[in-house]
Amino acid sequence: AGEKLAAGVGDIAVVADNGAITKLTDGFEYLSPGNITDVLPGRGQFGTQVIIRGTNLLGGGTKLTSVKLKNFEVQSIVSSSNTEVVVVAAAGTPGPGSIVMTADTGAVVEAPCDL
Protein backbone atom coordinates (compact mmCIF):
# COMPACT_ATOMS: atom_id res chain seq x y z
CA ALA A 1 0.00 0.00 0.00
CA GLY A 2 1.08 3.56 -0.67
CA GLU A 3 3.33 2.67 -3.60
CA LYS A 4 2.71 4.52 -6.86
CA LEU A 5 1.84 2.55 -9.95
CA ALA A 6 3.41 3.34 -13.28
CA ALA A 7 1.06 4.26 -16.11
CA GLY A 8 0.34 1.40 -18.48
CA VAL A 9 -1.98 -1.42 -19.48
CA GLY A 10 -2.46 -4.39 -17.20
CA ASP A 11 -4.48 -7.52 -16.62
CA ILE A 12 -7.58 -7.82 -14.47
CA ALA A 13 -7.95 -10.99 -12.40
CA VAL A 14 -10.88 -12.06 -10.24
CA VAL A 15 -10.31 -14.82 -7.71
CA ALA A 16 -13.38 -16.61 -6.37
CA ASP A 17 -13.58 -17.97 -2.81
CA ASN A 18 -13.08 -21.49 -4.24
CA GLY A 19 -9.80 -20.44 -5.86
CA ALA A 20 -11.10 -20.21 -9.45
CA ILE A 21 -9.45 -17.39 -11.40
CA THR A 22 -10.91 -15.42 -14.29
CA LYS A 23 -8.52 -13.14 -16.13
CA LEU A 24 -8.89 -10.40 -18.75
CA THR A 25 -5.57 -9.69 -20.44
CA ASP A 26 -4.83 -5.97 -20.89
CA GLY A 27 -8.24 -5.20 -19.40
CA PHE A 28 -7.35 -1.96 -17.62
CA GLU A 29 -5.19 1.03 -18.43
CA TYR A 30 -3.76 2.93 -15.46
CA LEU A 31 -3.17 6.57 -16.39
CA SER A 32 -0.68 8.94 -14.86
CA PRO A 33 -2.45 11.21 -12.36
CA GLY A 34 -3.50 14.65 -13.54
CA ASN A 35 -1.27 17.56 -12.59
CA ILE A 36 -2.08 21.29 -12.52
CA THR A 37 1.01 23.30 -13.49
CA ASP A 38 -0.32 26.84 -13.95
CA VAL A 39 -3.34 28.99 -13.07
CA LEU A 40 -3.86 32.34 -14.82
CA PRO A 41 -4.63 34.81 -13.45
CA GLY A 42 -3.44 33.86 -9.99
CA ARG A 43 -6.18 36.02 -8.42
CA GLY A 44 -9.61 37.17 -9.47
CA GLN A 45 -13.21 37.79 -8.56
CA PHE A 46 -16.73 36.90 -9.71
CA GLY A 47 -16.78 36.62 -13.50
CA THR A 48 -13.00 36.28 -13.90
CA GLN A 49 -12.01 33.90 -16.69
CA VAL A 50 -9.47 31.47 -15.23
CA ILE A 51 -7.12 29.33 -17.35
CA ILE A 52 -5.88 26.13 -15.70
CA ARG A 53 -3.00 24.34 -17.44
CA GLY A 54 -1.43 20.96 -16.78
CA THR A 55 -1.37 17.32 -17.87
CA ASN A 56 -4.04 14.60 -17.86
CA LEU A 57 -6.62 17.14 -16.67
CA LEU A 58 -9.52 15.03 -18.02
CA GLY A 59 -8.45 11.93 -16.08
CA GLY A 60 -8.95 9.61 -19.06
CA GLY A 61 -12.42 11.02 -19.71
CA THR A 62 -13.93 13.21 -22.39
CA LYS A 63 -15.11 16.15 -20.27
CA LEU A 64 -15.14 17.67 -16.81
CA THR A 65 -18.35 17.35 -14.81
CA SER A 66 -17.31 19.73 -12.03
CA VAL A 67 -14.72 22.42 -11.35
CA LYS A 68 -14.48 24.09 -7.96
CA LEU A 69 -12.34 27.05 -6.98
CA LYS A 70 -12.01 27.12 -3.19
CA ASN A 71 -15.05 24.83 -2.70
CA PHE A 72 -17.23 27.03 -4.92
CA GLU A 73 -18.56 25.50 -8.14
CA VAL A 74 -17.47 27.68 -11.07
CA GLN A 75 -20.06 29.75 -12.91
CA SER A 76 -19.26 27.88 -16.14
CA ILE A 77 -16.74 25.59 -17.82
CA VAL A 78 -15.88 27.40 -21.07
CA SER A 79 -13.61 24.68 -22.51
CA SER A 80 -11.62 21.66 -21.39
CA SER A 81 -8.86 19.44 -22.73
CA ASN A 82 -6.14 17.26 -21.24
CA THR A 83 -3.79 20.25 -21.11
CA GLU A 84 -5.99 23.33 -20.57
CA VAL A 85 -9.27 24.15 -18.85
CA VAL A 86 -10.98 27.54 -19.05
CA VAL A 87 -13.62 28.43 -16.45
CA VAL A 88 -15.50 31.50 -15.23
CA ALA A 89 -15.22 32.08 -11.49
CA ALA A 90 -18.39 32.25 -9.40
CA ALA A 91 -18.88 34.34 -6.27
CA GLY A 92 -16.75 33.24 -3.36
CA THR A 93 -14.51 34.47 -0.59
CA PRO A 94 -10.92 35.64 -1.18
CA GLY A 95 -7.91 33.73 0.05
CA PRO A 96 -6.13 30.42 -0.34
CA GLY A 97 -7.92 27.16 -1.12
CA SER A 98 -7.91 24.43 -3.75
CA ILE A 99 -8.86 23.87 -7.35
CA VAL A 100 -10.74 20.57 -7.63
CA MET A 101 -11.68 19.22 -11.06
CA THR A 102 -13.76 16.07 -11.52
CA ALA A 103 -13.91 14.25 -14.87
CA ASP A 104 -16.71 12.12 -16.28
CA THR A 105 -14.60 9.08 -15.30
CA GLY A 106 -14.70 10.12 -11.64
CA ALA A 107 -11.00 11.02 -11.70
CA VAL A 108 -10.14 14.05 -9.55
CA VAL A 109 -7.32 16.52 -10.17
CA GLU A 110 -6.58 18.89 -7.30
CA ALA A 111 -4.08 21.65 -6.52
CA PRO A 112 -3.81 24.57 -4.11
CA CYS A 113 -4.79 28.05 -5.33
CA ASP A 114 -5.06 31.58 -4.01
CA LEU A 115 -7.94 33.33 -5.78
Side-chain angles (χ1 to χ4, degrees), residues 8-77:
V9 177
D11 300 342
I12 296 175
V14 177
V15 181
D17 57 3
N18 66 0
I21 299 173
T22 301
K23 181 177 166 184
L24 176 61
T25 302
D26 294 338
F28 185 79
E29 181 178 6
Y30 181 80
L31 302 173
S32 297
N35 183 41
I36 296 172
T37 58
D38 201 13
V39 179
L40 299 169
R43 295 177 184 259
Q45 59 189 12
F46 173 80
T48 300
Q49 186 166 295
V50 180
I51 301 169
I52 304 162
R53 293 190 177 120
T55 57
N56 291 337
L57 298 178
L58 297 180
T62 58
K63 65 179 182 175
L64 293 174
T65 58
S66 172
V67 177
K68 293 182 179 181
L69 303 175
K70 292 188 50 198
N71 294 323
F72 294 95
E73 193 71 36
V74 297
Q75 185 177 354
S76 64
I77 300 171

